[in-house]
Amino acid sequence: MTTLTIFIIGALLSISILYLVRKGKLHGPYATWWLMVAVIAIVLSSFPKIIDWVALHVGITYPPTLLLVLAISFILIRMLTMDLALSRKEQKIRRLTQRLAMLEAGLEASEKDKSPGGKAD
Amino acid sequence: MKTLIVIPAFNEAGNLAQLLPKLRQAVTADILVVDDFSTDDTFQVVRNYGLACLRLSIQLGAWGATQTGIRYAKRHGYDYVLTMDADGQHLPEEISRILRAISDQHGDVIIGTCPHRVSRLKKIAWRFFKLISRIRIEDLTSGFRVYNQQAIKVLADKTASLLDYQDVGVLLLLLRSDLKIKEIPVKMALRQDGKSRVFSSWVVVFKYMLQTTTLCIANIGAKKSQ
């Protein structure tokens, strides 16, 4: 029964992601990541034996632990990469703000040069 | 030798009105005020004195504003950048001494220091940071500094844009880039009004301590010895 639930979740997830990409609300690498998650959910729910097989070979006696550990690890990794991306964004915003201030001042100065009589206010 | 004096300012209209005339009398260098998204008429005050003012459209904090001035200096080919606070703590008459120290090539960065000015609590914080970062500089937070072209190049770079405070992070970056930092003692005035932007409330202090500690730990072993 749980496998069916997970299958449905996976299916809904893939449909939502494709929909969001189509609407232009989710961009490139993020969409790929989420689609991968959905596909893995579908595959694992269709063939739950995969987990048992892998767990057996890495020596885990209770297979669901493997699933949980892997899931949490991937969530943590994903969160770290999100913070990396946010830091990059922050850096870009700061650089742009600084650049904008410099360009604005330059623009004002050149406007003043053009009209020596009138004060630009 | 082209020198640019950079003054980051957030709501400093009153202080700037006192500082700028004195400053213009004391020095011949160009003066640039960076207005960090002030809500008072900082920009207008600077303009009234006919001085250049860059206006940030998003608040970037003291370091972000200072870096704007440093990038401006790099773009316009200045040889030296002198940074000072707008609140009147740094005295215009001390500028010539600091500038002389750098043109005599005592170092790539000269810091005007006045360790007596700070509270005991702040001194404890400094000692802690010096211990974990192995920086051998007396005054970590003084914003009264001159940078030469090599230092300007390092600080104008992208890497420096993610720093949040201008003290330990900036010093670590400079040391990592193999630049020499020298200190000379200067006189400083007591703060005329307003409080330190860094040490303003306990939450802010706590955040600052945590972030700076992380920064120091991350930089262990990354720099050449000073």
Side-chain angles (χ1 to χ4, degrees):
Chain A
M1 213 44 217
T2 29
T3 53
L4 184 66
T5 322
I6 295 171
F7 183 87
I8 293 171
I9 292 174
L12 282 178
L13 195 58
S14 354
I15 293 170
S16 326
I17 283 146
L18 292 174
Y19 174 79
L20 286 171
V21 172
R22 184 151 132 181
K23 286 274 165 183
K25 293 200 190 290
L26 194 66
H27 107 129
Y30 307 120
T32 318
W33 165 267
W34 282 110
L35 212 53
M36 238 171 58
V37 171
V39 168
I40 289 171
I42 291 171
V43 169
L44 286 184
S45 60
S46 311
F47 310 100
K49 289 275 178 289
I50 296 177
I51 293 288
D52 298 343
W53 185 82
V54 176
L56 191 74
H57 281 258
V58 292
I60 293 170
T61 45
Y62 185 57
T65 335
L66 176 68
L67 193 65
L68 285 176
V69 167
L70 279 182
I72 292 173
S73 316
F74 274 105
I75 290 171
L76 284 179
I77 291 170
R78 186 69 196 118
M79 280 175 70
L80 184 64
T81 54
M82 271 167 65
D83 279 357
L84 283 176
L86 275 177
S87 303
R88 251 193 330 266
K89 291 256 145 73
E90 177 70 27
Q91 188 182 47
K92 281 182 188 161
I93 291 171
R94 289 183 185 181
R95 302 288 289 181
L96 274 173
T97 308
Q98 295 174 336
R99 203 187 165 92
L100 181 67
M102 290 190 279
L103 290 178
E104 252 176 7
L107 199 68
E108 248 174 71
S110 68
E111 267 170 8
K112 227 182 235 167
D113 282 348
K114 263 184 221 156
S115 56
K119 268 198 178 155
D121 252 336
Chain B
M1 287 288 134
K2 265 173 83 179
T3 305
L4 181 70
I5 296 179
V6 172
I7 306 172
F10 170 65
N11 289 349
E12 298 279 9
N15 286 328
L16 281 172
Q18 290 182 14
L19 174 71
L20 292 178
K22 279 189 238 161
L23 192 60
R24 269 213 306 202
Q25 253 179 2
V27 294
T28 51
D30 294 345
I31 298 165
L32 174 74
V33 177
V34 182
D35 175 5
D36 192 12
F37 203 58
S38 296
T39 48
D40 67 355
D41 43 359
T42 296
F43 182 74
Q44 223 39 58
V45 169
V46 179
R47 271 317 186 62
N48 289 343
Y49 287 101
L51 297 171
C53 185
L54 298 184
R55 244 202 302 199
L56 296 175
S57 39
I58 297 173
Q59 191 162 68
L60 295 185
W63 168 243
T66 307
Q67 197 195 24
T68 312
I70 292 172
R71 290 182 69 186
Y72 179 94
K74 191 183 163 219
R75 265 180 159 222
H76 292 82
Y78 283 93
D79 298 295
Y80 301 118
V81 168
L82 181 138
T83 62
M84 65 189 291
D85 291 356
D87 59 10
Q89 214 193 148
H90 302 153
L91 303 168
E93 54 268 28
E94 295 282 359
I95 289 176
S96 59
R97 281 184 50 213
I98 303 189
L99 285 178
R100 209 176 312 128
I102 202 154
S103 56
D104 290 347
Q105 298 186 331
H106 290 314
D108 301 297
V109 180
I110 306 289
I111 305 178
T113 50
C114 184
H116 321 293
R117 80 199 146 93
V118 300
S119 62
R120 258 183 63 199
L121 214 58
K122 214 166 161 182
K123 273 210 170 126
I124 294 171
W126 281 7
R127 204 172 302 157
F128 171 65
F129 288 138
K130 275 185 259 186
L131 190 75
I132 55 173
S133 67
R134 319 280 285 286
I135 296 179
R136 285 212 229 119
I137 290 165
E138 191 63 36
D139 193 330
L140 292 180
T141 50
S142 168
F144 202 19
R145 303 179 183 170
V146 201
Y147 303 103
N148 71 2
Q149 266 183 335
Q150 279 102 295
I152 290 171
K153 218 176 120 201
V154 170
L155 295 182
D157 191 69
K158 274 207 298 255
T159 335
S161 293
L162 265 186
L163 295 173
D164 289 301
Y165 306 101
Q166 65 172 337
D167 43 19
V168 179
V170 170
L171 295 174
L172 282 171
L173 187 65
L174 290 166
L175 292 173
R176 223 163 67 189
S177 313
D178 231 0
L179 296 173
K180 273 211 181 59
I181 302 174
K182 281 272 138 60
E183 293 178 280
I184 62 170
V186 294
K187 268 182 275 164
M188 281 191 195
L190 290 171
R191 243 174 253 284
Q192 280 163 357
D193 69 72
K195 284 194 246 162
S196 159
R197 278 177 82 177
V198 173
F199 282 73
S200 55
S201 85
W202 283 107
V203 182
V204 176
V205 172
F206 186 67
K207 226 174 93 184
Y208 165 82
M209 293 292 293
L210 265 185
Q211 277 192 32
T212 309
T213 306
T214 314
L215 198 68
C216 288
I217 293 172
N219 269 286
I220 289 175
K223 65 176 174 59
K224 323 261 182 337
S225 57
Q226 159 85 344

